Amino acid sequence: MPDIILALLRLIFLGLIYLFVWQVARGIATHLGIHAERRRRRGTKVVIVRSDTQAGLDFTVTDATVIGRSPEADIVIDDPYASEFHLRLVATENGLTLHDLGSTNGTYLNGRRVTAPAELRRGDAVQVGKTVMEIR
Amino acid sequence: MTRNTEGVLVAVASALAAFGVALVEFAGGESIGAQVGLTFLVFVIAFGGIHVSLRAWAPDATPLLLPPVALLAAIGFLEVYRLSPYRAGLQRWWLLLAAAVTCAVLAFLSRAGLSLLRRYRNTMLLVAVGLLLLPNLPSSGPLPIRGLTQGGSRLWVVFDLGFTELHFQPAEIAKVLFVAFLAAYLADRQAALTGAHRKLGPIRIPEPRQLVPLIAVWAGSLLILVYQRDLGASLLLFLTFAALLYAATGAAGYLVAGGLLAAGGGLAAWRLFDHVQRRVQAWLDPFADYADTGYQVAQGLFALGTGSLSGSGPGLGRPDLIPNAETDFIFAAVGEELGLAGSIAVLCCFALFLAAGFGIALRSRDRFRTLLAAGLTFVIGLQTFLIIGGVLRVLPLTGITLPFMSYGGSALIGNFLLLGLLARASQEERS
């Protein structure tokens, strides 16, 4: 019986050591900017989840991307309520930032109208007219 | 990671040290008692003290340095306790003293800053050389301070305090001062060093004149090898210098020249000195002279093999069969009792410490701080590589301690002094 307890305690001891190492390793990865660098290089994926004609399309934001109705925009959305140049998504170290470019009908983040540049998180819903995009 | 997380991790490491001691006692069939509590208390005071002084005097320093050190100290202490409870008792005192040194460094430099070291670089060099020469004092005489030869190397100094004797290895402190001097020297000589280069194919070759300091240090480290018979300190000194020259100039030619000089010096030492020859022989074939020169290396290999994947468990192996298990061969003891899993965790901790240290060097905007952080981190990395390489039979055995883990007061104090300087460099870089 004591043998089993001892064997178990030994494994718990090793397990705790690894848990510790894992915690420190995560801290170091952030410190050296490994996460941020990887995210920046990979970009952030945005999916159009609701639209009359474009539902299911996706695009990846790696630097600054302008979204609007104009053919000159980086991402052209087919929505009569969208402005020519409606909003800009900027990839930063922490993910994406949303800038509304003075659009006529406004940009809504999770149902709320955006008045100042906003940081976007995974799962956020960005609405332009009738089009809804989700950050992945 | 925040300072609070650092505090939690330091507390966890202290608990792990106590847990390890409890496992050793449990395995030995003893009742779990005072030793466990005492170990926990000492770790909490030592590392908690450093944590608090970081909060007070270096609040912006990275919180990533201390946790790996605390875990290494915990695992090391567990094995030292397992091998010799008496020495573990001493080690606890050394740990408290070393932590006090870190706190003192942080407090002292919080006002003056690291630039103080830069200003007094020549003084530091003199002190470092003086410390290196201390063991060459006569072994007997009227002085209360004597040199001592142990295990064929003249590394020790004995302070005769009348009622007791204190043994000390001054090279462990000298190495930190020497790195600080080099960083200051190279930061001041920056322009002269990077100026002139000759091209030889793709490699930039430093001007012959620029190689004079390199050759001077090479000669110095050979002298250490001859007069103190210390292969480890000699290699450490020279390779650190070559690495810092590379860090300061970015010229790979220094690494090539340094490597060639080290190889040449090593080869000459191998031809000339029988103690180097014995080491190389024990490295190439420890079983040829198993009972004598190869015994330590062979026992270390047996220990690692016996340990297998998860080890025998603390207190259940026989690492006491390895000569010097609690100093040079502590890694073999960890390998036997905590297995491959434990030894890899130790390597991870060292890797994380090095990543944090080089991170500080890369982010520093000041040349001196960059070189200081890079040099200090390199010393820890090289020491770890040399001794673990020696235990694993990748390299000939050099007989230096494993930082933060081995038993030994001078080593602990030297390395905790280094930790304090690194934390200070990080503080200045981020504030």
Side-chain angles (χ1 to χ4, degrees):
Chain A
M1 188 57 190
D3 284 355
I4 300 173
I5 299 175
L6 195 56
L8 210 63
L9 285 174
R10 263 175 47 201
L11 291 180
I12 293 175
F13 185 70
L14 281 175
L16 285 173
I17 287 178
Y18 271 95
L19 212 64
F20 189 102
V21 169
W22 171 244
Q23 280 301 322
V24 182
R26 266 187 23 189
I28 302 247
T30 324
H31 173 67
L32 297 179
I34 290 170
H35 283 318
E37 176 62 20
R38 194 186 298 157
R39 197 183 300 132
R40 204 178 55 72
R41 222 180 302 147
R42 243 202 268 133
T44 307
K45 196 168 154 187
V46 181
V47 181
I48 301 181
V49 288
R50 205 169 74 204
S51 158
D52 289 341
T53 54
Q54 292 175 305
L57 289 182
D58 64 68
F59 54 93
T60 304
V61 181
T62 45
D63 38 35
T65 304
V66 174
I67 299 173
R69 199 157 44 87
S70 160
E72 299 290 309
D74 298 320
I75 302 293
V76 183
I77 49 173
D78 176 25
D79 189 314
Y81 293 101
S83 297
E84 293 277 315
F85 299 101
H86 196 107
L87 66 97
R88 184 170 55 215
L89 296 177
V90 182
T92 65
E93 268 195 16
N94 305 314
L96 285 183
T97 317
L98 164 67
H99 303 256
D100 185 88
L101 299 173
S103 61
T104 319
N105 295 317
T107 307
Y108 292 83
L109 172 57
N110 299 326
R112 236 184 248 168
R113 188 160 180 161
V114 176
T115 49
E119 281 204 5
L120 297 180
R121 254 169 269 153
R122 238 174 124 171
D124 278 350
V126 177
Q127 186 169 0
V128 173
K130 287 192 290 180
T131 306
V132 179
M133 293 166 274
E134 197 184 298
I135 313 301
R136 291 288 162 88
Chain B
M1 199 156 97
T2 62
R3 187 67 68 209
N4 288 341
T5 326
E6 178 194 270
V8 172
L9 286 176
V10 159
V12 170
S14 307
L16 278 173
F19 188 8
V21 169
L23 278 176
V24 172
E25 301 220 325
F26 190 55
E30 287 171 50
S31 58
I32 293 159
Q35 290 292 331
V36 177
L38 213 56
T39 302
F40 184 67
L41 197 68
V42 165
F43 268 78
V44 165
I45 294 175
F47 287 100
I50 299 178
H51 173 70
V52 170
S53 36
L54 280 171
R55 274 183 190 276
W57 294 304
D60 298 321
T62 170
L64 296 164
L65 281 172
L66 194 54
V69 172
L71 188 64
L72 288 172
I75 298 177
F77 182 81
L78 147 73
E79 283 307 322
V80 172
Y81 178 76
R82 185 256 168 278
L83 287 158
S84 159
Y86 167 70
R87 287 193 149 187
L90 292 177
Q91 180 85 335
R92 277 198 288 258
W93 285 110
W94 285 121
L95 203 57
L96 288 175
L97 194 62
V101 167
T102 308
C103 299
V105 167
L106 287 171
F108 181 65
L109 290 180
S110 72
R111 300 190 133 218
L114 281 174
S115 50
L116 184 81
L117 298 185
R118 190 169 182 174
R119 242 177 292 139
Y120 289 100
R121 65 176 163 106
N122 293 330
T123 320
M124 285 193 304
L125 179 66
L126 278 179
V127 174
V129 171
L131 282 172
L132 276 177
L133 290 178
L134 268 187
N136 288 82
L137 287 171
S139 300
S140 56
L143 290 169
I145 172 170
R146 300 178 273 119
L148 179 71
T149 304
Q150 214 168 50
S153 298
R154 198 172 180 86
L155 291 177
W156 292 87
V157 169
V158 181
F159 292 106
D160 200 345
L161 301 174
F163 56 94
T164 183
E165 281 184 342
L166 202 64
H167 288 225
F168 204 74
Q169 223 174 327
E172 294 282 352
I173 312 290
K175 84 183 177 203
V176 180
L177 293 178
F178 186 69
V179 169
F181 160 76
L182 279 182
Y185 172 78
L186 293 175
D188 291 342
R189 293 283 305 272
Q190 173 64 18
L193 284 167
T194 39
H197 284 102
R198 287 181 190 180
K199 285 235 170 196
L200 187 82
I203 325 170
R204 285 193 295 164
I205 301 289
E207 277 286 320
R209 198 163 44 88
Q210 309 287 2
L211 287 174
V212 169
L214 187 70
I215 290 167
V217 174
W218 177 68
S221 56
L222 279 184
L223 284 179
I224 293 181
L225 186 64
V226 175
Y227 284 104
Q228 305 190 324
R229 312 206 131 207
D230 184 6
L231 193 59
S234 169
L235 260 177
L236 198 62
L237 176 72
F238 180 65
L239 290 179
T240 304
F241 184 63
L244 266 176
L245 267 180
Y246 171 61
T249 58
Y254 283 118
L255 285 185
V256 176
L260 289 178
L261 281 174
L267 212 64
W270 175 65
R271 298 293 292 276
L272 291 174
F273 304 118
D274 51 344
H275 69 286
V276 178
Q277 244 163 46
R278 274 202 300 275
R279 290 266 171 93
V280 172
Q281 193 52 48
W283 167 54
L284 292 175
D285 190 2
F287 298 101
D289 190 11
Y290 168 71
D292 187 20
T293 53
Y295 187 70
Q296 191 180 26
V297 176
Q299 286 296 329
L301 291 177
F302 288 150
L304 290 167
T306 316
S308 182
L309 195 62
S310 69
S312 62
L316 295 171
R318 291 301 305 278
D320 48 307
L321 294 176
I322 317 166
N324 295 330
E326 66 269 44
T327 52
D328 295 359
F329 268 67
I330 190 116
F331 189 75
V334 171
E336 173 160 7
E337 300 216 310
L338 299 175
L340 181 68
S343 3
I344 288 181
V346 165
L347 290 180
C348 285
C349 278
F350 277 115
L352 292 173
F353 180 84
L354 299 184
F358 282 129
I360 296 170
L362 286 172
R363 285 168 173 232
S364 289
R365 281 174 301 273
D366 177 78
R367 286 212 59 80
F368 171 60
R369 282 206 301 271
T370 301
L371 291 175
L372 182 68
L376 294 175
T377 312
F378 183 80
V379 163
I380 294 287
L382 183 63
Q383 240 180 299
T384 308
F385 175 70
L386 285 178
I387 187 59
I388 292 185
V391 171
L392 295 180
R393 218 164 67 80
V394 173
L395 301 167
L397 195 62
T398 34
I400 43 184
T401 55
L402 189 56
F404 307 118
M405 291 187 79
S406 291
Y407 167 75
S410 348
L412 267 186
I413 289 177
N415 293 328
F416 273 69
L417 174 68
L418 187 155
L419 174 70
L421 291 179
L422 262 184
R424 179 65 208 172
S426 173
Q427 156 76 14
E428 293 191 6
E429 160 250 317
R430 283 156 67 118
S431 63

